[in-house]
Every structure is written in structure tokens, then in C-alpha cells.
Amino acid sequence: MKVTRTLASTALTVGLVAGGTALVSAPAQAAPEAGSHNQVRNQQSQNQQSQNQQSQNQQGQTQQTEDEARDEIIDRAQTWVDQQVPYDMTGYHPDPQGNEYRTDCSGFVSMAWGLDASENTVTLPDFAETIDKEDLKPGDVLMKGGPGTEGANGHVAIFNGWANDEHTAYYGIEEGGSTGTVAREISYPYDQDDAFVPYRLKGL
């Protein structure tokens, strides 16, 4: 019993101060382990790496979506090439889903781009934006469009990749007045006609 009391008394240190008030010393705080700060830094680094990876994955998904959209444009255009759809400014032909589009150059591009209706070379630029030559990718177009290009005054062809390293010719897909729907090699910008400008569908 005496040993127990002695240990209990030793464990609890009581000091008397003026006025007879007793102060009880608080138990000592354990010092943080030497490696705890490194663990926090390592966790923060891992979190940052995880965020960076998620950002890269999202960018990859965005790029993949753009590539798929371009592939779809070319695939839709190719369906009319395979069917040898003839040129007719007053005629209509279905897309793969059965929607009807006018069978001229701008109706063909409207179909390939999946627009709601058959636009013409005057209105088609409203659905696109001009780009630089070196920014051209499959699914973009070379177009002589805007005011004054009604009827046979304008034209548009789909770009499907460069045909040479000099970028003086490209693979184009078009609905031509004398050819019908064809895929052919075209000199840039369009058979040496500098009135043709590169365009890209908005949102692509």
C-alpha cells in the first residue's frame, strides 16, 4: 500500500501558490515524430500528381472526341462518294440516317458536317470560322463563300489531308458540277483559285 501511494503521489505533482490555490501540472505533450512532416509533403505531392493525371486524361478524352468527330465527317462524306451521288442543285439525297440534303457542293458539306439543313455557300460561313492554311485538318473545308457566291459563283470542298510535304496539294472530297461526288487530289487552295479560304466547323 505504501508503494502504491508513493507512485500515485509521484505521478501527480501539486504545487502551492499564494492564496493556497493548488496548481496541477499538465501531462507533457509528445513531440511530433521526425518523419511526420515528410509524410505530409509526400501525401501532398501524390495528390498533385493525381490531379495532373486527371487533367491529362481529360485532355486526352477531349482530343479523342475531336478525332472521332473528324472521322465521322469523312465517313459521312465517303458514303456519297461510294454511292456516286450525282450533282443536282435542285435534287436531294439521304445521309446515313435518312435525312435529306441537297446534292450540290454546299448541301454535300452540310450533310458531312451534320447540319440541320442544306446551307449554301452564302450561309455556310455562318457555321464556320476561318483558319490558317497550316491548321487544316481532315473535316475542314476550302471554300469560296459569303456574299456574291450564290448559285454557281461559289464552291466548297472537304479537306482530307495533305497530298505532299510542300502542302501545295491535298486530298479533297467534293460534290462537283461535272464530276458528281468524288474524292480526288486538288491543288491548293482550289485548282489555283486564291478566292478559296480554309474554314473549320464551329465547335470542332
Side-chain angles (χ1 to χ4, degrees), residues 185-202:
E185 185 174 315
I186 304 173
S187 59
Y188 185 86
Y190 185 86
D191 293 340
Q192 308 303 319
D193 187 342
D194 291 336
F196 281 75
V197 177
Y199 281 87
R200 174 168 297 164
L201 177 66
K202 289 179 180 179

Side-chain angles (χ1 to χ4, degrees), residues 32-104:
E33 296 181 7
S36 63
H37 294 300
N38 290 335
Q39 292 175 355
V40 172
R41 284 196 295 269
N42 290 339
Q43 185 62 46
Q44 291 174 341
S45 177
Q46 291 174 1
N47 290 342
Q48 185 62 46
Q49 290 176 358
S50 177
Q51 292 174 358
N52 291 340
Q53 185 62 46
Q54 291 177 358
S55 177
Q56 291 175 0
N57 290 340
Q58 290 174 352
Q59 292 175 356
Q61 291 172 357
T62 300
Q63 182 62 42
Q64 183 181 20
T65 301
E66 178 187 336
D67 289 343
E68 289 176 350
R70 292 183 178 281
D71 288 344
E72 183 178 359
I73 290 172
I74 299 302
D75 289 345
R76 288 173 64 86
Q78 187 63 41
T79 61
W80 279 23
V81 174
D82 294 341
Q83 296 168 21
Q84 298 182 335
V85 178
Y87 183 94
D88 185 348
M89 293 181 67
T90 61
Y92 282 80
H93 190 80
D95 70 353
Q97 287 72 44
N99 301 309
E100 297 280 333
Y101 289 88
R102 194 177 57 253
T103 53
D104 58 8

